[in-house]
Amino acid sequence: MKSIWVMCGGKSSEHKISIASARNVVAALLEAEFSVSVVYIDRQGLWYLVSPESLLQSSTSTPRVKTSPEQRLAVTPGETRPFHKLDKPQEALIC
């Protein structure tokens, strides 16, 4: 099974559009039986590993992806706790 990262969100004014686009891409990839990892970037620029289901369940009118500190991927200065490590994908898509 081919693994793909889908990255979405971010600090830009296109944050909501990025999430909506990623939702459509993830739904299609799951239907095609790809292994999907979703990297969500919140409005502050923090990166999180979220489940594809979490992305698909976010509201279409006001997309919000539920996150928790345990899902963080990137280290910010001064933090010392461990973060998730992702395996190298075969492909990556940025929405």
Side-chain angles (χ1 to χ4, degrees), residues 1-93:
M1 180 181 296
K2 194 169 190 175
S3 65
I4 297 180
W5 291 358
V6 175
M7 300 177 72
C8 63
K11 296 168 97 173
S12 81
S13 60
E14 301 293 319
H15 183 89
K16 290 180 182 180
I17 294 167
S18 174
I19 295 170
S21 297
R23 184 185 301 111
N24 293 330
V25 169
V26 167
L29 290 170
L30 291 175
E31 188 174 311
E33 300 184 2
F34 283 86
S35 172
V36 180
S37 295
V38 177
V39 176
Y40 167 70
I41 305 167
D42 71 11
R43 291 186 180 275
Q44 287 71 45
L46 301 176
W47 292 33
Y48 297 87
L49 176 62
V50 299
S51 71
E53 295 76 22
S54 172
L55 180 70
L56 294 175
Q57 292 170 0
S58 67
S59 166
T60 54
S61 59
T62 328
R64 283 196 192 112
V65 180
K66 294 181 182 178
T67 60
S68 69
E70 296 78 32
Q71 296 169 301
R72 288 275 305 282
L73 286 175
V75 177
T76 53
E79 292 186 312
T80 58
R81 65 183 183 80
F83 291 87
H84 286 284
K85 179 183 176 190
L86 289 175
D87 293 328
K88 183 178 177 185
Q90 293 169 325
E91 302 287 338
L93 302 170

